[in-house]
Amino acid sequence: MQGRKSFQKHYCLFLNLKDTGLYYDEYLKQVIDVLETDNHFREKLQKADIEEIKSGRLSKELDLVSHHVRTKLDELKRQEVGRLRMLIKAKLDSLQDTGIDHHALLKQFDHLNHLNPDKFESTDLDMLIKAATSDLEHYDKTRHEEFKKYEMMKEHERREYLKTLNEEKRKEEESKFEEMKKKHENHPKINHPGSKDQLKEVWEETDGLDPNDFDPKTFFKLHDVNNDGFLDEQELEALFTKELEKIYDPKNEEDDMVEMEEERLRMREHVMNEVDANKDRLVTLEEFLKATEKKEFLEPDSWETLDQQQFFTEEELKEYENLISLQENELKKKADELQKQKEELQRQHDQLEAQKQEYHQVVQQMEQKKLQQEISPPGHGGESKFEPLI
């Protein structure tokens, strides 16, 4: 039975690659959906261990799938290659002659073999699985880094705005800023994510059940939304909604919903770490029940929310602002060059319009002269041939 559950977990891990948030997520989802329609491949996948999936050995089974499946995969690959080519062309057009990171552009093809754009081969499946598993391992880290940049940009813009104000207005804004911080920090006690208290609150308030009847096994089954026997990232993150609502309200000016999602991510990471599920990113019932017996689950430490933390140092902010300044200078330089090009094009346009107008006037004069000659052709001595009628 344990072996069977292991196979199921590896199978679900492969299927859960469909919900990645990666830039090639749609392509990944479509490929997995097509492969699932092949009975032979689905059977092999269910029997594969995690190393076979991640190492690429499973990809060799692609040679045995039906012709109909291969044809669909070929078409998906052609569409994906076409999509990437359009994106890269647009990026190159926007960059023009400025510094182009060719390595970064080529990295967008890491999940497929672009040297053969028309055929989906075992190499493509191998590259797709390896790219997705590798990218997912760094996905949370990337999200944390993006959040840190977001917070630094917020602080940078706040300070820049303060520089535009006189002393009186600046003091008012600083006072308002401190007041907003205090309002945000003034929230109900937060339960430690994954603790018995936190889960019992979900059990009572979300599930509508008696807290005295809390049962971890029943709780797990209630929140395994797709009934696959595992709690995936989305199902885990949904458990923290009640806690997050204590801290964040979209109606409140002082509450930042971007920070709420970072808080949710940290909570999910913490629980996965408690049940040792970070590697596979899936929590089994056995892992969940085992975690509920741990001291950390029964007697958790206090949870430090984001409003109790410092996301960056002054040195990091200064370095970030220097980078922004360099980017702004580069953009200004480019804008100035574009403005000069625009002015030169406008000058050339005006010159062509003036020449066109002059040409039009000359043509009109020539046509008028020709018309007059046709109506009144000159006779001998410069007099008209025609005599007036009497």
Side-chain angles (χ1 to χ4, degrees):
M1 181 64 181
Q2 183 61 37
R4 176 61 178 162
K5 290 295 290 182
S6 177
F7 291 150
Q8 287 181 354
K9 183 166 185 178
H10 304 328
Y11 180 53
C12 288
L13 171 64
F14 184 77
L15 296 183
N16 276 311
L17 290 177
K18 293 190 288 185
D19 300 311
T20 63
L22 301 173
Y23 70 91
Y24 50 89
D25 181 82
E26 186 62 25
Y27 172 65
L28 176 63
K29 177 180 178 180
Q30 291 173 335
V31 168
I32 293 174
D33 285 343
V34 169
L35 287 171
E36 273 204 283
T37 65
D38 186 88
N39 293 331
H40 170 79
F41 191 88
R42 186 169 63 249
E43 181 181 345
K44 286 291 183 181
L45 180 59
Q46 289 174 334
K47 293 180 180 179
D49 61 33
I50 194 68
E51 288 308 315
E52 281 185 289
I53 294 175
K54 289 188 174 182
S55 69
R57 293 198 299 273
L58 180 68
S59 303
K60 303 301 179 185
E61 298 296 329
L62 187 69
D63 296 333
L64 302 176
V65 302
S66 68
H67 176 71
H68 178 64
V69 169
R70 290 298 291 267
T71 302
K72 282 189 174 180
L73 292 173
D74 291 345
E75 179 59 27
L76 287 176
K77 182 179 178 181
R78 285 193 289 270
Q79 292 174 3
E80 178 69 357
V81 170
R83 182 184 73 87
L84 291 175
R85 284 174 173 170
M86 283 194 296
L87 288 174
I88 289 176
K89 184 180 184 303
K91 195 164 188 177
L92 288 171
D93 289 344
S94 67
L95 292 171
Q96 292 184 351
D97 294 329
T98 59
I100 299 173
D101 188 345
H102 293 281
H103 178 72
L105 292 176
L106 289 174
K107 188 167 175 56
Q108 294 186 61
F109 284 97
D110 280 356
H111 61 288
L112 51 75
N113 178 18
H114 64 279
L115 298 177
N116 182 4
D118 298 316
K119 293 290 182 181
F120 190 100
E121 300 172 320
S122 59
T123 306
D124 291 291
L125 183 57
D126 184 22
M127 292 177 71
L128 183 59
I129 294 172
K130 286 182 177 179
T133 52
S134 174
D135 289 343
L136 282 173
E137 287 176 3
H138 300 94
Y139 188 58
D140 288 346
K141 181 181 178 183
T142 301
R143 285 177 62 183
H144 288 311
E145 290 172 351
E146 289 302 317
F147 174 74
K148 183 176 179 178
K149 289 179 183 178
Y150 168 78
E151 289 294 322
M152 288 193 290
M153 178 58 78
K154 261 179 45 173
E155 179 61 15
H156 167 70
E157 290 179 344
R158 188 184 76 85
R159 294 185 184 187
E160 289 298 304
Y161 172 65
L162 290 176
K163 291 177 183 178
T164 66
L165 306 177
N166 59 39
E167 186 175 354
E168 182 181 352
K169 288 286 186 182
R170 188 160 55 249
K171 287 181 179 179
E172 288 179 9
E173 283 296 321
E174 289 283 20
S175 177
K176 181 182 176 182
F177 177 72
E178 292 301 323
E179 181 185 342
M180 298 282 277
K181 277 179 64 178
K182 288 177 182 177
K183 282 180 67 177
H184 174 67
E185 292 167 2
N186 184 25
H187 54 70
K189 176 181 175 293
I190 301 301
N191 289 313
H192 198 91
S195 68
K196 191 170 185 178
D197 287 341
Q198 190 256 314
L199 299 184
K200 283 179 72 175
E201 192 169 291
V202 175
W203 173 273
E204 180 181 8
E205 297 188 18
T206 303
D207 302 331
L209 300 172
D210 188 337
N212 297 319
D213 296 332
F214 177 73
D215 175 59
K217 186 174 182 179
T218 303
F219 181 92
F220 183 96
K221 291 182 177 179
L222 281 172
H223 294 275
D224 176 18
V225 179
N226 59 5
N227 296 313
D228 64 356
F230 306 95
L231 292 182
D232 59 31
E233 294 174 20
Q234 289 75 30
E235 290 166 339
L236 276 174
E237 289 182 0
L239 299 180
F240 313 127
T241 300
K242 296 300 297 184
E243 297 303 313
L244 294 167
E245 286 176 351
K246 297 175 184 178
I247 317 174
Y248 301 95
D249 185 340
K251 298 176 185 176
N252 295 339
E253 186 182 357
E254 69 270 15
D255 297 336
D256 188 334
M257 296 301 104
V258 174
E259 291 179 0
M260 182 184 76
E261 291 309 314
E262 173 70 8
E263 192 83 71
R264 191 192 303 273
L265 170 59
R266 291 175 64 248
M267 289 178 171
R268 188 256 296 161
E269 284 182 315
H270 172 75
V271 173
M272 281 192 157
N273 185 59
E274 286 295 311
V275 299
D276 196 25
N278 274 324
K279 181 179 179 182
D280 294 337
R281 306 175 78 87
L282 295 167
V283 179
T284 65
L285 175 59
E286 288 80 6
E287 289 170 339
F288 184 75
L289 294 176
K290 185 178 178 182
T292 62
E293 299 171 0
K294 296 173 69 174
K295 181 181 179 182
E296 291 81 2
F297 181 88
L298 299 172
E299 302 174 16
D301 298 326
S302 61
W303 176 255
E304 191 178 55
T305 54
L306 287 177
D307 51 40
Q308 299 170 297
Q309 298 181 42
Q310 184 177 358
F311 307 119
F312 51 84
T313 64
E314 281 296 318
E315 290 75 16
E316 287 175 320
L317 179 59
K318 186 175 180 180
E319 184 179 342
Y320 184 66
E321 288 181 323
N322 288 337
L323 177 61
I324 292 173
S325 179
L326 287 173
Q327 291 174 340
E328 288 177 345
N329 289 337
E330 186 63 34
L331 287 173
K332 186 178 183 305
K333 182 180 176 182
K334 188 173 182 179
D336 290 341
E337 290 174 355
L338 289 173
Q339 182 61 32
K340 288 179 182 178
Q341 291 176 15
K342 179 181 176 181
E343 290 172 358
E344 176 60 22
L345 288 172
Q346 185 64 48
R347 187 189 66 78
Q348 293 177 8
H349 173 74
D350 293 343
Q351 189 177 42
L352 287 172
E353 283 297 314
Q355 292 174 353
K356 182 179 176 182
Q357 187 66 27
E358 289 177 7
Y359 175 75
H360 183 66
Q361 290 175 351
V362 170
V363 170
Q364 279 187 325
Q365 290 173 359
M366 292 177 65
E367 287 179 347
Q368 286 178 346
K369 187 175 181 180
K370 181 179 180 182
L371 185 60
Q372 288 174 353
Q373 288 176 342
E374 289 177 350
I375 295 174
S376 305
H380 295 289
E383 297 178 356
S384 173
K385 291 182 179 179
F386 304 100
E387 297 289 340
L389 295 173
I390 298 176

